Amino acid sequence: MKKKNSGTIVKNLLLSVLLVAFLFPFIEVIINSFRTTQQFISNPVSFRIQLSLKNYVTAYKSMNFPTAFFNSAVITITGICLIILFSSMAAYLFARFKWRINSVLFFIMTASMTIPFQVVMIPLVTIYGSIGFLNSRQALLFMYLGFGAPFAVFTFHGFIKGIPIALEEAASIDGASKIRIFFQIVLPLLTPVLATVIVLDVLWLWNDYLLPSLILQSANLRTLPLSTYNFFSSYSVDYGPLMAGLIMTLLPVLFLYLFLQKYIIEGIAAGAVK
């Protein structure tokens, strides 16, 4: 009994140390978001805090926060809707229609998850730039759909295979079409994996810097991660407002993650095992 209690204490101690190690950078960003750039440079890991919103006001103006927030919200929400709609329908097609070509297409789609974006980055931008398809939200959303669909299809496919086909057969006998069966029976049952895909893809789309930096060239199309680049100049960085801008960018997606975090592991396990 004592040995079991000792093991529990050691485990809790290690978990507490890991928690502090993971939270320390985030806490320091919050503290430094209230400090001046000079104070940050002199001691970046200080716990002294000054309750002044000057950095947040500067960041709000420099980032053109309302426009950048609107761009990020439109791209994220639209991208999530497109990924969920097309991926869930494709996964249903792969799971329920036993066509020979489906196995090949599903293998190709899941195998594409192993290809890093950096491998196709330059050819992608070169090709779409040559046809004038860059510098638009539509181009960015099209690429997000292409890069986000494989994981979503893989997750939905595993879960749909676990749904009893008798439910669909009963609806079919009552005269329901395949489209109605999918939207009224199958899609509502995908709630656990829907939450997982939404959370993971929101974290990706909202925080993505590389792809928007290659596609969105106009200042009025910049997302929040792109707008934080305004605090970098040729010879210096305005760290105080930069930290405040990072906090302002992080908060919306952090609240969403905290609200839906219990569905992430549950949904991934359900999609992979079923």
Side-chain angles (χ1 to χ4, degrees):
M1 190 69 178
K2 290 183 178 180
K3 184 176 181 180
K4 184 177 180 181
N5 291 335
S6 300
T8 302
I9 293 174
V10 172
K11 182 177 70 174
N12 291 336
L13 181 61
L14 290 175
L15 290 175
S16 300
V17 172
L18 289 174
L19 177 63
V20 172
F22 280 111
L23 288 179
F24 179 76
F26 180 68
I27 294 173
E28 279 299 321
V29 171
I30 296 177
I31 293 175
N32 286 315
S33 68
F34 294 98
R35 304 171 70 207
T36 64
T37 298
Q38 291 74 18
Q39 291 172 334
F40 173 83
I41 294 175
S42 62
N43 189 0
V45 294
S46 173
F47 285 96
R48 296 182 60 183
I49 186 172
Q50 297 177 345
L51 294 179
S52 173
L53 297 178
K54 182 179 179 181
N55 287 337
Y56 285 88
V57 174
T58 302
Y60 185 89
K61 295 179 180 179
S62 299
M63 294 171 62
N64 193 8
F65 188 82
T67 301
F69 181 87
F70 174 78
N71 291 333
S72 289
V74 168
I75 290 172
T76 301
I77 294 173
T78 307
I80 292 298
C81 292
L82 291 174
I83 290 173
I84 287 175
L85 177 62
F86 287 100
S87 299
S88 59
M89 294 179 71
Y92 180 73
L93 180 69
F94 290 146
R96 291 293 189 251
F97 293 82
K98 304 302 180 182
W99 300 336
R100 192 171 300 177
I101 189 65
N102 278 0
S103 301
V104 178
L105 293 176
F106 181 70
F107 174 78
I108 293 174
M109 182 165 286
T110 53
S112 66
M113 291 190 294
T114 63
I115 302 175
F117 169 70
Q118 290 78 5
V119 174
V120 297
M121 176 176 65
I122 295 177
L124 191 69
V125 174
T126 301
I127 293 173
Y128 283 104
S130 64
I131 61 176
F133 198 53
L134 300 182
N135 198 31
S136 67
R137 296 192 189 99
Q138 292 82 357
L140 184 61
L141 290 170
F142 181 76
M143 295 183 188
Y144 276 145
L145 176 60
F147 288 113
F151 172 76
V153 168
F154 173 77
T155 307
F156 288 136
H157 180 268
F159 195 87
I160 290 173
K161 288 177 65 177
I163 297 176
I165 198 170
L167 296 174
E168 301 171 39
E169 291 174 345
S172 180
I173 292 174
D174 290 337
S177 63
K178 288 292 183 181
I179 295 178
R180 187 176 179 183
I181 290 173
F182 173 77
F183 283 104
Q184 294 188 355
I185 296 178
V186 177
L187 193 59
L189 295 175
L190 297 179
T191 302
V193 286
L194 278 175
T196 301
V197 172
I198 289 173
V199 171
L200 295 180
D201 283 347
V202 164
L203 291 173
W204 166 44
L205 298 182
W206 186 271
N207 295 317
D208 188 29
Y209 174 84
L210 183 56
L211 189 54
S213 68
L214 297 172
I215 305 300
L216 305 178
Q217 301 165 357
S218 301
N220 62 333
L221 295 177
R222 289 175 182 169
T223 59
L224 285 173
L226 293 182
S227 296
T228 58
Y229 192 74
N230 289 335
F231 302 110
F232 291 84
S233 64
S234 300
Y235 303 101
S236 63
V237 180
D238 203 356
Y239 287 105
L242 173 61
M243 299 295 177
L246 291 176
I247 295 298
M248 294 166 64
T249 301
L250 178 64
L251 285 179
V253 72
L254 178 62
F255 287 136
L256 177 67
Y257 177 79
L258 293 176
F259 180 71
L260 297 176
Q261 62 175 330
K262 66 178 181 179
Y263 296 106
I264 296 178
I265 303 300
E266 176 187 345
I268 291 177
V273 174
K274 285 192 174 184

